[in-house]
């Protein structure tokens, strides 16, 4: 039985509701009047139900698809402007007791090099990340109660926040670790994390069980109800996602939106972010063994319809995607990307020798952070290193309310420009610096509130003079 307010996975992710939604979308995809009425509703920027979104995704009319792409772009600009938040993953450990068949960390893999960073090694990684210009990290680790207990993760977070190298600082640590207990989520919250991120991988229970044959992650309900426990533990920014390519995209697209509806219905605030990773080749993982690969054109549509269905949610694309694909996806609703990423454990300090491979997957965008920043500037996106919201207590429904009523732009634009200024003063190449300075000069005028604009102008001059970390 489908019940978005239930705390039970089988009820808020109802298999029968997903199947009947897919059927409904198939039957009605050619009904132009119905699709147009959904697009009309979407124009109000209040989001769509999973059924309406599934209908848009299924519709193949080229005109209407173009309309979907245009609307996704407009909605993104309305809530997020052209700011793109930058982050990098930091892999702490690839020891793992699970049996996930698509992930090379799985316990039976004997070819991958197993590594776990010491606190000293974490320091070195963080200094390397700070020297690139990063301010926001996503911590990644395999699930291993003995090698990677929660105490290790907590200690690592403390280490990361404590390092201030030159003008560098990691100001927001998001955490992507396995589903855990309410008590552990509380400890993560007390450690000052930003978003707790957990990918569902797939919402299809029987496929989930086949893909996760062993280990604690094999428990579908434990994994699917993780965000409920995180909320109970006081973490109010949670990030969801599926790994596209494991299950049919139709099933997981609907499941993902149902999960967002569940969080909104139950806690009054939907997910802070949605990640949209696609399965990649990895150490002993061959993508040809998976039959549900999502082609580019469909993936672009998935991103665009997600943007329309959940207009207020941040949307993340990693370096799993190529520069070309990321360029297109930025036009369709993506608000956060990683840059200069390494998916190997310890990879920021030194590239791994040929004979070692601790990486989780092969990335497709190998550019440095500076190259990504310059590319964003060329495309007229504002690379933002902002971390102000959660540091100012704007999390959960407080953040969403400000975003929904548009007030956030008085904070976001100046914060983006100030953190871009810090980046170009401290880390940028001369070409990136010149382009960044020109953008800052041009866009400061767009800050709506005069008082904030004047204050931002003063802060920008102070950054030129060596001061750091201003925020609204
Ligand atoms: N161990 C944690 C967990 O169980 O959720 C942390 C997640 S792992 C470090 C980060 C994510 O990488 C996984 O949730 C999965 O979706 C993704 N991943 C694993 N193998 C992948 C592959 N071959 N290609 C792309 N992404 C992959």
């Amino acid at each position: 039985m489908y019940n978005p307010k239930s705390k039970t996975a089988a009820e808020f992710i109802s298999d029968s509701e997903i199947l009947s939604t897919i059927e409904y979308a198939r039957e009605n995809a050619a009904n132009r009047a119905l699709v147009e009425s959904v697009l009309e509703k979407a124009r109000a920027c209040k989001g769509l139900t999973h059924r309406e979104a599934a209908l848009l995704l299924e519709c193949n009319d080229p005109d209407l698809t173009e309309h979907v792409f245009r609307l996704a772009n407009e909605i993104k600009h309305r809530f997020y402007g052209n700011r793109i938040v930058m982050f990098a993953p930091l892999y702490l450990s690839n020891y793992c007791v699970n049996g996930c068949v698509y992930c090379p960390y799985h316990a039976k893999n004997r070819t991958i090099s197993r590594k776990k960073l010491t606190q000293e090694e974490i320091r070195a990684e963080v200094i390397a990340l700070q020297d690139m210009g990063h301010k926001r990290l996503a911590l990644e680790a395999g699930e291993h109660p003995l090698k990677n207990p929660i105490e290790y993760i907590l200690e690592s977070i403390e280490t990361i926040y404590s390092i201030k190298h030159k003008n560098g600082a990691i100001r927001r640590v998001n955490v992507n670790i396995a589903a855990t207990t309410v008590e552990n989520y509380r400890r993560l919250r007390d450690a000052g994390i930003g978003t707790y991120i957990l990918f569902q991988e797939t919402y299809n229970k029987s496929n989930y069980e086949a893909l996760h044959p062993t280990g604690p992650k094999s428990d579908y309900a434990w994994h699917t109800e993780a965000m409920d426990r995180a909320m109970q533990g006081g973490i109010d920014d949670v990030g969801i996602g599926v790994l596209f390519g494991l299950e049919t995209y139709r099933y997981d697209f609907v499941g993902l939106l149902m999960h967002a509806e569940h969080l909104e219905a139950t806690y009054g605030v939907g997910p802070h972010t949605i990640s949209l990773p696609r399965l990649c080749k990895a150490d002993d993982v061959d993508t040809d063994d998976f039959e549900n690969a999502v082609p580019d054109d469909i993936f672009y549509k998935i991103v665009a319809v997600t943007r329309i269905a959940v207009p207020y949610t941040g949307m993340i694309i990693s370096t799993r995607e190529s520069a070309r694909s990321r360029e297109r996806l930025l036009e369709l609703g993506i608000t956060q990307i990683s840059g200069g990423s390494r998916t190997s454990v310890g990879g920021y300090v030194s590239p791994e020798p040929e004979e070692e491979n601790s990486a989780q997957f092969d990335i497709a965008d190998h550019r440095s952070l500076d190259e990504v920043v310059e590319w964003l500037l060329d495309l007229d996106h504002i690379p933002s290193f902002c971390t102000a919201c959660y540091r100012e207590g704007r999390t959960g429904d407080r953040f969403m309310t400000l975003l929904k009523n548009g007030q956030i732009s008085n904070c976001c634009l100046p914060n983006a420009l100030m953190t871009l200024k810090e980046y170009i003063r401290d880390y940028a190449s001369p070409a990136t610096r010149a382009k960044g300075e020109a953008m800052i000069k041009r866009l400061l005028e767009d800050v709506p509130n005069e008082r904030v604009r004047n204050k931002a102008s003063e802060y920008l001059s102070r950054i030129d003079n060596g001061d750091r970390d201003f925020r609204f």
Side-chain angles (χ1 to χ4, degrees):
M1 216 242 323
Y2 175 49
N3 175 7
K5 285 196 171 168
S6 167
K7 297 266 173 70
T8 309
E11 291 180 353
F12 67 78
I13 304 293
S14 152
D15 177 62
S16 61
E17 173 60 17
I18 295 180
L19 295 177
S20 93
T21 299
I22 294 171
E23 199 46 43
Y24 163 84
R26 252 196 208 116
E27 280 167 6
N28 290 285
N31 182 341
R32 195 179 173 99
L34 184 64
V35 174
E36 281 175 344
S37 74
V38 170
L39 282 167
E40 196 45 48
K41 177 181 170 191
R43 200 162 278 294
C45 298
K46 300 251 186 290
L48 296 176
T49 65
H50 58 270
R51 277 202 171 220
E52 293 162 338
L55 179 72
L56 291 191
L57 188 63
E58 200 58 33
C59 167
N60 278 325
D61 181 294
D63 264 11
L64 293 172
T65 303
E66 228 3 84
H67 194 142
V68 165
F69 287 157
R70 256 200 326 274
L71 189 56
N73 186 279
E74 279 168 35
I75 291 177
K76 177 194 160 172
H77 278 91
R78 174 152 167 199
F79 290 103
Y80 287 90
N82 43 1
R83 297 179 297 280
I84 301 295
V85 168
M86 306 302 303
F87 76 99
L90 173 56
Y91 283 80
L92 295 180
S93 163
N94 63 1
Y95 284 92
C96 194
V97 294
N98 286 313
C100 318
V101 303
Y102 51 86
C103 177
Y105 287 6
H106 68 89
K108 285 198 182 134
N109 187 353
R110 297 280 171 260
T111 56
I112 197 166
S113 317
R114 299 287 172 180
K115 296 185 184 177
K116 172 187 167 180
L117 299 179
T118 63
Q119 297 306 310
E120 237 359 85
E121 288 166 335
I122 292 173
R123 270 187 76 78
E125 286 286 280
V126 169
I127 287 172
L129 283 155
Q130 289 184 3
D131 279 346
M132 289 160 72
H134 278 295
K135 299 282 187 273
R136 173 189 295 242
L137 300 184
L139 284 198
E140 311 279 341
E143 179 167 17
H144 198 300
L146 296 177
K147 291 275 189 190
N148 317 328
I150 191 72
E151 289 72 18
Y152 170 67
I153 305 291
L154 294 168
E155 190 187 358
S156 305
I157 295 168
E158 202 181 323
T159 299
I160 294 166
Y161 278 135
S162 73
I163 300 163
K164 304 280 179 305
H165 173 69
K166 298 183 181 161
N167 280 337
I170 299 302
R171 299 173 180 156
R172 179 175 179 130
V173 177
N174 297 334
V175 173
N176 182 5
I177 59 163
T180 185
T181 59
V182 174
E183 178 49 29
N184 284 346
Y185 285 124
R186 200 165 284 127
R187 295 170 79 182
L188 285 169
R189 184 212 49 197
D190 294 345
I193 69 162
T195 312
Y196 172 66
I197 300 167
L198 183 69
F199 301 161
Q200 177 62 30
E201 321 302 5
T202 176
Y203 285 95
N204 184 320
K205 184 167 185 285
S206 56
N207 192 14
Y208 181 96
E209 286 165 356
L211 291 162
H212 305 94
T214 52
K217 192 166 171 177
S218 61
D219 183 337
Y220 176 84
W222 176 252
H223 191 78
T224 313
E225 293 161 10
M227 294 314 188
D228 297 81
R229 293 193 300 280
M231 292 274 190
Q232 266 174 275
I235 296 177
D236 45 22
D237 283 348
V238 298
I240 62 174
V242 291
L243 185 53
F244 282 103
L246 297 181
E247 168 56 62
T248 67
Y249 69 84
R250 293 183 174 90
Y251 195 102
D252 276 339
F253 174 76
V254 177
L256 190 63
L257 292 183
M258 284 169 85
H259 200 176
E261 285 167 6
H262 160 66
L263 296 172
E264 176 101 43
T266 314
Y267 306 100
V269 51
H272 189 68
T273 54
I274 292 184
S275 296
L276 297 133
R278 278 195 284 187
L279 185 69
C280 302
K281 184 183 163 319
D283 184 61
D284 71 340
V285 177
D286 186 347
T287 45
D288 291 342
D289 295 340
F290 296 80
E291 59 187 23
N292 291 309
V294 183
D296 288 348
D297 54 340
I298 297 194
F299 189 57
Y300 297 161
K301 229 164 130 187
I302 289 172
V303 169
V305 181
T306 307
R307 173 72 300 148
I308 293 174
V310 282
Y312 321 118
T313 302
M315 286 171 60
I316 305 179
I317 281 288
S318 71
T319 52
R320 290 177 182 85
E321 296 296 325
S322 66
R324 199 187 112 261
S325 156
R326 300 214 299 172
E327 178 166 343
R328 180 72 180 126
L329 294 165
L330 286 170
E331 294 168 355
L332 301 176
I334 294 302
T335 59
Q336 273 194 42
I337 63 170
S338 45
S341 305
R342 298 276 185 283
T343 58
S344 49
V345 180
Y348 291 107
V349 168
S350 52
E352 280 189 320
E354 274 287 304
E355 63 283 8
E356 285 179 28
N357 179 19
S358 68
Q360 199 185 20
F361 49 82
D362 296 350
I363 61 175
D365 185 345
H366 294 271
R367 293 172 298 171
S368 68
L369 179 62
D370 191 68
E371 286 168 326
V372 174
V373 169
E374 185 179 4
W375 166 79
L376 288 171
L377 291 165
D378 286 339
L379 296 171
D380 209 27
H381 297 290
I382 313 171
S384 170
F385 294 85
C386 180
T387 54
C389 274
Y390 98 109
R391 297 166 79 213
E392 291 291 321
R394 292 190 294 264
T395 59
D397 55 352
R398 275 201 66 208
F399 169 79
M400 285 296 168
T401 308
L402 288 167
L403 185 69
K404 286 177 188 176
N405 66 25
Q407 283 179 25
I408 203 89
S409 59
N410 262 318
C411 306
C412 290
L413 179 57
N415 285 339
L417 297 179
M418 292 188 304
T419 55
L420 175 60
K421 181 75 153 184
E422 289 184 340
Y423 175 80
I424 61 181
R425 296 304 299 186
D426 292 338
Y427 309 105
S429 63
T432 305
R433 182 171 172 171
K435 291 173 187 177
E437 291 286 11
M439 175 177 273
I440 292 167
K441 202 163 161 215
R442 179 161 54 84
L443 294 184
L444 185 60
E445 297 308 309
D446 291 352
V447 175
N449 180 298
E450 191 185 343
R451 190 191 59 81
V452 176
R453 189 165 60 245
N454 292 336
K455 203 75 198 152
S457 172
E458 178 201 323
Y459 289 158
L460 285 165
S461 313
R462 288 175 60 185
I463 294 171
D464 272 331
N465 293 329
D467 290 340
R468 294 290 174 269
D469 202 10
F470 297 103
R471 59 181 183 264
F472 291 97

